[in-house]
Amino acid sequence: MATPEGKIQLEIMRHLRKRGLLFWRFSPETYNVARGFHYKHEYIPSGLPDIMVLTKEGFIGLEVKTPKGRPSADQLLMQKRFRRLGAEYHVVKSVADVDIVIPTSRG
């Protein structure tokens, strides 16, 4: 996670762990060491959020971006799909953003 976005993801995941929340990180690609390249998993749709959090109220998707980052068209479409199904999908750029969308009262 050496990218700027990866560093923010790591900060957010450490924060979620400190808060005792149940979460996991999606990675749509895997690095194949033997072949020396990344490949996309066939059954993971494009646009899934980087981090999924499970609270008493349900699933919350967190798409992590840098301060200037913007969601892709696939991510915006997935956000609509989540919301149609009653789940949350938020674009966050910092730990402070996470605390706004998941206040301690929800964890």
Side-chain angles (χ1 to χ4, degrees), residues 21-104:
L21 293 170
L22 175 59
F23 69 93
W24 57 95
R25 181 181 180 279
F26 273 113
S27 181
E29 294 183 348
T30 296
Y31 184 71
N32 185 316
V33 176
R35 295 186 178 179
F37 66 88
H38 286 86
Y39 67 93
K40 186 177 182 327
H41 293 282
E42 181 179 357
Y43 299 107
I44 297 179
S46 297
L48 282 178
D50 297 309
I51 302 168
M52 288 295 304
V53 182
L54 182 59
T55 69
K56 293 177 262 182
E57 290 86 13
F59 285 105
I60 302 170
L62 301 176
E63 178 57 39
V64 180
K65 294 293 178 192
T66 63
K68 293 183 182 181
R70 299 175 55 107
S72 69
D74 285 337
Q75 291 165 342
L76 293 172
L77 178 62
M78 188 60 70
Q79 184 179 51
K80 288 179 186 177
R81 292 180 74 186
F82 265 55
R83 290 181 176 168
R84 266 196 311 252
L85 294 169
E88 296 181 45
Y89 186 119
H90 300 280
V91 176
V92 294
K93 300 181 177 193
S94 67
V95 167
D97 286 352
V98 171
D99 284 342
I100 290 169
V101 300
I102 312 174
T104 53

